[in-house]
Amino acid sequence: MQVPFLDLRTQFQGLREELLPEMTAVMEQAAFIGGPALRDFEAAFAAFCGTEHAVGVASGTDALQLALRAAKVEPGAEVITAANTFVATVEAICLAGCKPVLVDMDPETYHLDIGRIEAAVTPRTRAIMPVHLYGDPVDMDPVLEIARRRDLLVIEDAAQAHGATCHGRPCGSLGDLAGFSFYPGKNLGAYGDGGAVTTNSEAYAAHLRLLGDHGSPKKYHHEFLGTNSRLDALQAVVLAAKLRHLPAWNERRRAVARAYAERLGDLDGLRLPRRREGFAPVFHLYVIRSGRVQAIDAALKAAGIGFGYHYPVPVHLQPAFRELGEPGRFPEAERGAKEILSLPMFAEMSEDQIDYVADVVRSALTA
Ligand SMILES: *Cc1c(COP(=O)(O)O)cnc(C)c1O
């Protein structure tokens, strides 16, 4: 048996009949940028996230960068985020002209350690960017409490967390703004790049629309420096169709996670994602942790099972971001990076595939 890390081909076969007529309609109308397809998707996505507004942009990276710009987080301002995240979180902060200030990982949740946020605040801090890593919601109440007290904005990196909830409230609706990615492999993935910003602020949403359209409120008039960052109509119809399936897909991912837990929960030296009361993750990734991750790696490879590392190198140890901290600066993130591994996780996984992956992991650790 072969088990891919993610199976978008099988997903497409289930969507073909539904998607192709809608994509064809966009092409027949030659309405590729903006228009009703985009507005419909934005309205549906905002409703899904429980926000007043969703604004489509070109990628998750742009969503975070433009969220900072729309909220007038000025160049030079400091933005606090996690040392263990995908580089795009930190890239977006830099691209907005701001200075990322990293916080070490909480070894319990793998989120940024909320207890360390306050010590990272300086007079130049303007925002906190918590990352709902792996689709597991950050405990936002204490983050929002710090933000309120220190007069900081909260911009969620919700790129992995479409549909996840924190005390019943969806990720994307918890801060002042949130950035989502529709990269194909995300829980809600386009057939290309895409992203969105969600917010309850009419002013932020209006500014975002202009930012992504060359700062142009009307034809031949450019009010301020913008860029080209739009979600195109073909992607919007793909995403609108997939959004109708997303609740069921997320439910299925949770079932896969439960199945893994049943099969692997008793193994010594293996840490599975923890359940936390009040939080409903969507398992963008199913990340296990073990001191014997190399043995698991070798066994999965030999068994034809896809897997990944998210992420094997903390941001401050990447050559591009060396100025954010010397080696040893974020010990929990550095230790975690060496011990984590992401197992296959997708809604279309069969029981046989889950059994096979679990058996291979079990024998790697009991051999
Ligand atoms: C995917 C991702 C991004 C960036 O999204 P793109 O659409 O790839 O630009 C940002 N942050 C996190 C945590 C991500 O996983």
CSV table of all heavy atoms in Angstrom, one decimal, residues 7 23 63 79 88 155 169 218 230 285 308 356:
chain,number,residue,atom,x,y,z
A,7,ASP,N,-4.0,14.0,-0.5
A,7,ASP,CA,-4.5,13.4,-1.8
A,7,ASP,C,-5.5,14.3,-2.5
A,7,ASP,O,-6.7,14.1,-2.4
A,7,ASP,CB,-5.1,12.0,-1.5
A,7,ASP,CG,-5.4,11.3,-2.8
A,7,ASP,OD1,-5.2,11.9,-3.9
A,7,ASP,OD2,-5.8,10.1,-2.7
A,23,MET,N,-16.6,26.7,-13.3
A,23,MET,CA,-15.4,27.2,-13.9
A,23,MET,C,-15.6,27.6,-15.3
A,23,MET,O,-15.2,28.7,-15.8
A,23,MET,CB,-14.3,26.2,-13.7
A,23,MET,CG,-13.9,26.0,-12.3
A,23,MET,SD,-12.6,24.7,-12.0
A,23,MET,CE,-11.2,25.6,-12.4
A,63,ALA,N,-2.2,38.3,2.6
A,63,ALA,CA,-3.3,38.6,3.6
A,63,ALA,C,-2.7,39.2,4.8
A,63,ALA,O,-3.2,40.2,5.4
A,63,ALA,CB,-4.0,37.3,3.9
A,79,VAL,N,6.2,43.7,15.8
A,79,VAL,CA,5.1,42.7,15.8
A,79,VAL,C,5.5,41.4,16.4
A,79,VAL,O,6.5,40.8,16.0
A,79,VAL,CB,4.6,42.5,14.4
A,79,VAL,CG1,3.4,41.5,14.4
A,79,VAL,CG2,4.1,43.8,13.7
A,88,ALA,N,6.4,32.4,6.2
A,88,ALA,CA,5.5,33.4,5.7
A,88,ALA,C,5.0,34.4,6.7
A,88,ALA,O,4.8,35.6,6.4
A,88,ALA,CB,4.4,32.8,4.9
A,155,ILE,N,-3.6,40.4,15.1
A,155,ILE,CA,-3.8,39.9,13.7
A,155,ILE,C,-3.6,38.4,13.8
A,155,ILE,O,-2.4,38.0,14.0
A,155,ILE,CB,-2.9,40.7,12.7
A,155,ILE,CG1,-3.2,42.2,12.8
A,155,ILE,CG2,-3.1,40.1,11.3
A,155,ILE,CD1,-2.3,43.0,12.0
A,169,ARG,N,-16.0,30.1,19.1
A,169,ARG,CA,-15.9,31.2,18.1
A,169,ARG,C,-14.8,30.8,17.1
A,169,ARG,O,-13.8,30.4,17.4
A,169,ARG,CB,-15.6,32.5,18.8
A,169,ARG,CG,-16.8,33.0,19.6
A,169,ARG,CD,-16.4,34.3,20.4
A,169,ARG,NE,-15.3,34.0,21.3
A,169,ARG,CZ,-14.3,34.8,21.7
A,169,ARG,NH1,-14.3,36.0,21.2
A,169,ARG,NH2,-13.3,34.4,22.5
A,218,LYS,N,-11.0,54.8,-7.7
A,218,LYS,CA,-11.8,54.9,-9.0
A,218,LYS,C,-10.8,54.9,-10.2
A,218,LYS,O,-9.6,55.2,-10.0
A,218,LYS,CB,-12.7,56.1,-9.0
A,218,LYS,CG,-12.0,57.5,-8.8
A,218,LYS,CD,-13.1,58.6,-8.9
A,218,LYS,CE,-12.5,59.9,-9.1
A,218,LYS,NZ,-12.2,60.6,-7.8
A,230,ARG,N,-5.1,40.2,-5.7
A,230,ARG,CA,-6.5,40.0,-5.8
A,230,ARG,C,-6.7,38.5,-5.9
A,230,ARG,O,-5.8,37.7,-6.3
A,230,ARG,CB,-7.0,40.6,-7.1
A,230,ARG,CG,-6.9,42.1,-7.1
A,230,ARG,CD,-7.3,42.8,-8.4
A,230,ARG,NE,-6.5,42.5,-9.5
A,230,ARG,CZ,-6.1,43.5,-10.3
A,230,ARG,NH1,-6.4,44.8,-10.2
A,230,ARG,NH2,-5.3,43.2,-11.4
A,285,LEU,N,-2.6,19.8,10.0
A,285,LEU,CA,-1.5,18.8,10.1
A,285,LEU,C,-1.7,18.0,11.3
A,285,LEU,O,-2.3,18.4,12.3
A,285,LEU,CB,-0.2,19.6,10.2
A,285,LEU,CG,0.2,20.4,8.9
A,285,LEU,CD1,1.3,21.4,9.3
A,285,LEU,CD2,0.5,19.5,7.8
A,308,GLY,N,5.8,14.7,6.5
A,308,GLY,CA,6.5,16.0,6.4
A,308,GLY,C,7.0,16.5,7.7
A,308,GLY,O,6.9,15.8,8.8
A,356,TYR,N,-2.8,1.3,8.3
A,356,TYR,CA,-1.4,1.0,7.8
A,356,TYR,C,-0.4,2.0,8.3
A,356,TYR,O,0.7,1.5,8.8
A,356,TYR,CB,-1.5,1.1,6.2
A,356,TYR,CG,-0.1,0.8,5.5
A,356,TYR,CD1,0.5,-0.4,5.7
A,356,TYR,CD2,0.4,1.7,4.7
A,356,TYR,CE1,1.7,-0.7,5.1
A,356,TYR,CE2,1.6,1.4,4.0
A,356,TYR,CZ,2.3,0.2,4.2
A,356,TYR,OH,3.4,0.0,3.6
